[in-house]
Amino acid sequence: MNKKIRQAKNINADVTVPGDKSISHRAVMFGSIAKGDTRIKGFLKGDDCLSTIDCFRKLGVDIEEYNDEIIVHGRGLHGLKKPEEPLYVGNSGTTIRLISGILSAQNFDTQLNGDASIQKRPMSRIIKPLSKMGACIESTNNCAPLKIHGGSLHGIEYTMPMASAQVKSSILLASLYAQNETTIYEPTASRNHTEIMLNHFGADITSENHTIKSKPVKELYASDITVPGDISSAAYFITAGLIVPYSHIIIRNVGINPTRTGIIDAYLQMGANIEILNEHTEGGELVGDIDVRYSKLKATTIRGDIIPRMIDEIPIFAVAALCAEGTTLVQDATELKVKESNRIVTMINELSKLGAVMTETDDGMVIRGSQELHGATVYSHLDHRVAMSCAIAGLMADGET
Ligand code: S3P
């Protein structure tokens, strides 16, 4: 599929973005293992979240899909059925890693597979802790396809080698079924939607100083969920508003959970004119409108704790850095190498075609600012965030991208 982008002059827009992907996945998963009906409003009907629905249907959950809501008829913590065929997660890392935590505790075996990209992404990060809890997981070189022999689990104390919400969530889901408490130590905080939503459904999870403790529960109880707009999608509009001269964009009703707002903090550090309006809480998640005006950005360095708080936004952040004055550094970001594509390599390759000067480092990249971009043909590497980032870069390039 080809899309053509032309240089933009000024953008004045008042928009909403589709529902948060992380929260949409979790609402279906947790609703499926809760008692009662979960009505989900604002669900993201993208391929990844539809894969999650498909997997839980194969596990015996009745899920109704309407235009404006999804209804999950939960089967309770112990009500899933052995699927008749392998579960297919498509391109979705969140589906395969989180569902593995649930499947590890079932008294049946399940096979899980996904597309060519999923078959290359590391699964040892979940196989290791789930095996320590008592699951038996077979894989091909620590990648999908996975065969999970579920069974009775025990709680563990686990120090995560990297900040990853997918790994943390997988362990937390397994911990619901364990015989005793589980403690997880995170090197730095990753998104905490699992902790918030599971507690909303009756789990007993506490977090303090990067230490998360979860006690097993007898049941989860269904609760309605309104999914806020996805800040990871809002990031493209935020960036367009900042870099396209004389723009003013308002993005309404976006999830602004502090474990996700690294991109806003990074842009504020660069001198961005961004304001949050109408801040309020929905289902334990912070929500607000993001008001963005064109700004003369200055280069910065991002590293350490902010990286997991903006991990999916680093490709679009690189585009903003091309338009900032000075040289921007991205450090401590090796996790970018194991996303839907190696996002350090793919972003450098594609933005270079537009004339960008960027170099790869061991754990990130160096981005030269104040760049004149010119239209060119770029390739997404079948990675949605690469495609969207290149589209925004195209707004700044003369000619057609
Ligand atoms: C996600 C966590 C992040 C993120 C992914 C969604 C989640 O992955 O990149 O898009 O919903 O938990 P990691 O936990 O592997 O960093």
Side-chain angles (χ1 to χ4, degrees), residues 106-368:
Q106 305 304 314
N107 57 7
F108 52 77
D109 293 353
T110 329
Q111 292 186 54
L112 277 167
N113 207 353
D115 69 6
S117 152
I118 276 291
Q119 290 178 20
K120 287 198 212 112
R121 294 180 67 185
M123 294 299 147
S124 51
R125 51 183 60 198
I126 52 154
I127 295 176
K128 227 171 148 187
L130 294 175
S131 305
K132 280 190 178 193
M133 295 178 85
C136 178
I137 304 180
E138 286 173 44
S139 70
T140 317
N141 298 327
N142 284 317
C143 291
L146 304 179
K147 193 168 177 193
I148 303 187
H149 309 277
S152 144
L153 303 181
H154 46 264
I156 51 168
E157 271 200 30
Y158 190 69
T159 303
M160 297 198 343
M162 77 296 285
S164 163
Q166 293 181 353
V167 176
K168 174 178 65 177
S169 303
S170 185
I171 303 171
L172 284 175
L173 284 163
S175 79
L176 299 172
Y177 295 87
Q179 285 152 13
N180 52 312
E181 187 176 271
T182 293
T183 304
I184 306 168
Y185 304 104
E186 275 197 295
T188 49
S190 63
R191 65 191 69 188
N192 64 355
H193 306 301
T194 296
E195 295 90 308
I196 291 174
M197 201 188 292
L198 279 179
N199 279 340
H200 202 61
F201 278 58
D204 185 351
I205 301 172
T206 53
S207 311
E208 218 184 314
N209 293 331
H210 307 316
T211 301
I212 302 115
K213 287 184 186 288
S214 169
K215 293 203 176 99
V217 287
K218 291 222 159 56
E219 277 299 351
L220 296 177
Y221 297 96
S223 183
D224 292 347
I225 301 287
T226 300
V227 181
D230 196 328
I231 189 164
S232 298
S233 304
Y236 303 97
F237 292 92
I238 296 173
T239 307
L242 290 176
I243 63 177
V244 175
Y246 312 111
S247 295
H248 179 200
I249 303 183
I250 301 180
I251 311 120
R252 306 263 177 206
N253 226 30
V254 182
I256 46 167
N257 175 321
T259 61
R260 295 284 299 281
T261 47
I263 185 70
I264 294 180
D265 294 343
Y267 284 158
L268 290 175
Q269 208 169 289
M270 296 169 85
N273 190 341
I274 301 178
E275 269 185 88
I276 307 289
L277 312 170
N278 303 322
E279 207 173 296
H280 62 282
T281 304
E282 265 178 41
E285 292 283 354
L286 212 54
V287 181
D289 300 338
I290 304 175
D291 184 297
V292 186
R293 286 168 200 272
Y294 168 64
S295 308
K296 293 214 158 71
L297 299 178
K298 287 207 166 26
T300 190
T301 294
I302 53 161
R303 64 172 131 89
D305 289 1
I306 199 170
I307 299 293
R309 296 176 53 237
M310 58 182 290
I311 191 69
D312 291 337
E313 289 68 69
I314 295 175
I316 186 62
F317 170 80
V319 174
L322 294 178
C323 306
E325 190 193 320
T327 298
T328 291
L329 307 181
V330 177
Q331 298 173 343
D332 300 326
T334 49
E335 278 296 302
L336 288 180
K337 297 181 186 176
V338 291
K339 296 294 176 189
E340 283 84 334
S341 69
N342 176 337
R343 287 181 175 160
I344 298 176
V345 171
T346 50
M347 286 311 297
I348 293 177
N349 284 349
E350 299 315 310
L351 293 177
S352 300
K353 292 177 187 167
L354 301 175
V357 180
M358 300 164 73
T359 43
E360 185 182 351
T361 60
D362 277 354
D363 64 347
M365 50 190 148
V366 178
I367 307 155
R368 194 196 287 172

